[in-house]
Amino acid sequence: CQMNGHSPSPPATVHLPPRFGTVTNQGETSLIETDVPSSLEAEEKEDRHPVLQGNTSPGRLRLLDESLILGLMNFPQTACDKSDTGEVDFPRVTVVDLGLGDSPSTTLEFAVALKNVCSMSTIASPLEPKIIGVEVDNDRLERCIRLLQDASYSGLLQNTPPIELRLGGTSFVLPLIESEPRPSMIRAMNVLRSYGIPHAIKGLRTLFQQLCHEGGTLVEGSAEAGGKVMVAMVLKRSKMNLTYHVENGDASSSDDEVELGIDAVIFAADLDAIATDPELNMLSAHSWFNRHNHLPRLWRGFCDVEECSDEDVPRWALPVREFLRTWEKACSCVLPITPSVQERLHEIMDQGTNCPRSVTVTAAQTSSSKICWTEQDSTTSLRDKFVLGAEELARGIKSDNSSLDSRSPCVKTDWASKGIVVWYPGLDPTSGTPALLVPDIEEYYWW
């Protein structure tokens, strides 16, 4: 979006019903009556005022948009509604994009991907999606509204779903109105990374409670600044994670006490971009994701052996740590990098040859007196390594589980050639609860 000289109208003041709170002119939310559990209010003081940077760039979430188009995050099959006149209305789908940043570029890209998904819907009548973009900073919100209006004046929004931008607060209570259906999807990418763990736990649980009752999807994660690497957890609101405690004789449990299971974790990488990155290209696939700022907030700092020992890993992060460790073993089986190979690679770079830094070295190639690859060869070799490593990972996860039913953990590699691997943690065979959980605040303080 570029400023084109138009004079957009000032953004309208957002009025929220008492159920969701009232927005003050400072952009803060004053809660009046919400469903936020009181037990989650005990937060550490240093987590109350996080620094929200708001950095974004076009294409940063392109890998997540690709995952959406591939059908990795399906919408619930909403029934058609009938109006007062008896006419059938198309199903309405509300999607919330939390955290706009400095520009609405990723929200616009999300809208295009959403349009493609809804047009391919298997429901008899087409879906009518509406995207609500939420930003906590009033100055950034006004800038995004101006840019979005300029895009509308230029005719760039003709084939996209309607987009509304609203002011939110740090309580994670969404600025929805009473007549709107509960969100079918909430996307909160690069948002919780700015918060402490207690606040992130509260944020996940508060957002989850606001989804539509069955089939609603919450996507939370982190993406590298240029969009080269992305990790996102997917939580679906289902009867299983809503009635587990009731079925086990704890009918008094509220949503904040229910163990929220993470249904899937999406690992995605732009293989073409990584092939030209001198730092990431030197690493194996598991290391792309096991970096401090590439993991969701709940797991950040717990999956790297240099940052956290095995004894200090909390229960909720242990499955992810073990998964990445299995991925590391799978990568080493595909192409082990020996010290001689590494030494030869550094020798080539130090000599200042015309070879690109984004090279992939194999043991057979290091015996040559002169080694030079094209960027295309590097990309192809990197893609092959990623696909082979993902397939080896899937076999390793499968062999570690004796029972092979629908509840067993598995890894889908159908989209590995596109740089996307999906891990389904499944259920714990002993307790029958989800193997990968969002902890409650009491468990965090106990840890």
Side-chain angles (χ1 to χ4, degrees), residues 57-64 223-230 268-270 273:
S57 59
R60 185 174 185 178
L61 300 180
R62 61 185 181 275
L63 295 171
L64 190 62
E224 186 261 347
K228 299 175 184 176
V229 179
M230 185 276 301
D270 187 336

Side-chain angles (χ1 to χ4, degrees), residues 326-343:
T326 304
W327 201 340
E328 180 181 8
K329 295 178 181 178
C331 291
S332 64
C333 293
V334 174
L335 183 61
I337 303 298
T338 63
S340 60
V341 172
Q342 197 75 17
E343 181 180 356

Side-chain angles (χ1 to χ4, degrees), residues 61-76 93 95 106-121 127 129 131 161 184-187 217 219 230 232 234 236 266 268 415 418 420 422:
L61 300 180
R62 61 185 181 275
L63 295 171
L64 190 62
D65 294 337
E66 179 71 15
S67 302
L68 177 66
I69 295 174
L70 292 175
L72 304 184
M73 296 167 285
N74 296 324
F75 291 101
V93 173
V95 179
T106 55
T107 303
L108 290 174
E109 294 165 351
F110 184 39
V112 174
L114 183 63
K115 181 68 174 179
N116 294 333
V117 171
C118 292
S119 64
M120 296 183 297
S121 174
L127 295 173
I131 298 180
S184 298
M185 175 179 289
I186 300 175
R187 188 177 77 164
T217 302
V219 182
M230 185 276 301
V234 179
K236 285 188 176 293
I266 302 175
W415 314 277
K418 296 179 178 291
I420 300 175
V422 184

